[in-house]
Amino acid sequence: MNLAKFPRRGYVQAPTPLEALPRFSEALGGKVNVFIKRDDMLPGTAGGNKTRKLDFCMADALRQGADSIITCGAVQSNHCRLTLAWAVKEGLDCHLILEERVKGSYKPEASGNNFLFQLLGVKSISVVPGGSDMMGEMQKLAETLRAEGKKPYVIPGGASNKIGALGYVSCAEEVLRQLFETGLRIDHMVVPSGSAGTHAGIIAGMIGNNAGIPVTGIGVNRKKEAQQAAVLKLAQETLNYIGTGVTMPAEAVVAFDDYVGPGYSLPTDGMVEAVKLLASTESILLDPVYSGKAMAGLIDLVRKDYFPEGSNVLFLHTGGSPALFAYLDTFRS
Ligand SMILES: *Cc1c(COP(=O)(O)O)cnc(C)c1O
């Protein structure tokens, strides 16, 4: 697909590694061969998937003459950390609106991403209660900034719109190129599914390229039906935006909600096991909110023989490890 027509900033200068996980696969009984796409190693402060999306979103902001970026996320948001990081690099102000999805969870002195917000020099942080109309809050702030003579640009939560999702269409194509170059066969891909842009972009890229690699999303927040509807809608919008004329088949979108546990960002036993297992077999850090729960899903699906024996399964590591340091108690107990 021709993505060259969309402006981007060039944040992703080289393909991220695609590695085998032999010791991790062995620890799961050797039934399948797990591989990992290291988007935790993308550029941008501490890496992670939002860099691919922001590559396109920031280019759009600059094209529109923005001098300030407004975005939103949860109190330990990786997306907010990376939006702020790239805004700093571009010389733009960055304003964050944080949604306190778990009551009382915002602590200005907290570690993890929250610490980095201050270190990187956020222009302002406002905290709103869980369930707030985040787009409405961002528009309100944009109005205020405009009245001060600023030129704000609003990036939605997770940069999950058709512009940001282009970053993951591009990632799907990067994976396909790597498989071609190495002659590796991948039978199945597993991806975290949050604000939906990553999952939607990957699936749009796989379907749009007729790759024949099924993708299973692991939800971290919404119910299965709601998540699948959100991914399907955004994947179709993205394919239309690219101008492919491809219709997204609804059955290609799978997003399990079995690994969310008590709720978004709340620890589960499966997440703790996944984080510990990958760290202790392959020295790779997952995060407690997204990649840890997504890997818990992969582990459970392997145990349930969801993938035929001998399958090569590719896990997309979307980053997030700074959040680990805000969850020390979870891993100590
Ligand atoms: C945002 C995020 C995700 C989820 O990606 P979406 O595009 O929001 O679905 C997964 N992992 C990490 C570490 C993230 O920060």
Side-chain angles (χ1 to χ4, degrees):
M1 289 187 281
N2 179 14
L3 300 183
K5 62 188 170 187
F6 299 102
R8 67 183 196 279
R9 295 297 292 163
Y11 298 160
V12 186
Q13 293 195 355
T16 58
L18 196 163
E19 301 169 354
L21 298 177
R23 301 193 69 237
F24 181 78
S25 304
E26 192 54 40
L28 294 180
K31 289 196 279 188
V32 304
N33 306 305
V34 185
F35 294 79
I36 195 164
K37 175 67 174 162
R38 298 292 306 272
D39 272 13
D40 58 317
M41 292 173 72
L42 281 166
T45 310
N49 64 340
K50 302 311 178 308
T51 285
R52 286 195 195 268
K53 300 167 166 198
L54 291 165
D55 198 8
F56 290 90
C57 292
M58 285 293 191
D60 192 51
L62 289 168
R63 191 175 54 169
Q64 294 187 24
D67 58 15
S68 312
I69 301 292
I70 302 173
T71 198
C72 67
V75 297
Q76 279 289 348
S77 167
N78 300 302
H79 164 69
C80 287
R81 181 234 315 151
L82 279 165
T83 303
L84 169 60
W86 289 114
V88 166
K89 291 276 277 183
E90 300 285 7
L92 307 174
D93 288 349
C94 182
H95 300 265
L96 301 178
I97 300 186
L98 303 183
E99 181 187 8
E100 205 177 32
R101 296 185 192 173
V102 179
K103 219 175 161 209
S105 60
Y106 177 70
K107 299 192 181 64
E109 73 288 359
S111 180
N113 287 314
N114 200 79
F115 166 69
L116 296 177
F117 297 161
Q118 304 302 334
L119 187 67
L120 294 169
V122 67
K123 195 76 179 171
S124 78
I125 291 183
S126 29
V127 183
V128 298
S132 298
D133 167 15
M134 298 307 285
M135 190 44 88
E137 295 290 336
M138 291 194 288
Q139 297 297 358
K140 251 194 299 182
L141 178 55
E143 277 309 309
T144 308
L145 292 177
R146 259 181 233 117
E148 293 168 3
K150 291 287 192 181
K151 294 203 178 84
Y153 180 91
V154 172
I155 296 179
S160 282
N161 56 13
K162 64 187 181 190
I163 301 172
L166 292 175
Y168 271 87
V169 175
S170 155
C171 178
E173 297 190 337
E174 184 178 302
V175 166
L176 293 175
R177 267 196 310 279
Q178 286 174 310
L179 300 185
F180 176 71
E181 282 161 10
T182 56
L184 177 66
R185 183 197 85 234
I186 286 293
D187 302 299
H188 209 108
M189 193 162 173
V190 174
V191 303
S193 197
S195 63
T198 300
H199 188 177
I202 288 282
I203 210 151
M206 290 299 181
I207 296 283
N209 283 292
N210 216 357
I213 299 178
V215 177
T216 294
I218 308 291
V220 296
N221 190 9
R222 282 181 280 225
K223 286 276 163 224
K224 188 170 192 270
E225 285 66 35
Q227 186 65 16
Q228 290 180 169
V231 172
L232 179 63
K233 179 164 177 284
L234 183 53
Q236 187 63 61
E237 277 172 20
T238 306
L239 285 169
N240 296 347
Y241 185 51
I242 297 168
T244 58
V246 173
T247 301
M248 192 69 198
E251 63 276 13
V253 182
V254 178
F256 291 124
D257 60 10
D258 308 67
Y259 309 100
V260 178
Y264 174 80
S265 83
L266 298 173
T268 62
D269 292 346
M271 177 281 288
V272 172
E273 183 198 11
V275 171
K276 287 185 172 170
L277 189 62
L278 192 67
S280 62
T281 55
E282 303 281 355
S283 304
I284 296 173
L285 301 181
L286 294 168
D287 84 285
V289 181
Y290 296 96
S291 55
K293 284 186 179 175
M295 189 60 103
L298 182 148
I299 291 172
D300 186 58
L301 293 172
V302 169
R303 289 181 178 149
K304 291 203 294 216
D305 297 324
Y306 177 78
F307 311 108
E309 194 159 343
S311 295
N312 291 340
V313 179
L314 178 63
F315 178 79
L316 175 65
H317 189 345
T318 44
S321 64
L324 266 181
F325 303 98
Y327 283 75
L328 297 182
D329 292 342
T330 302
F331 291 92
R332 279 183 184 137
S333 57

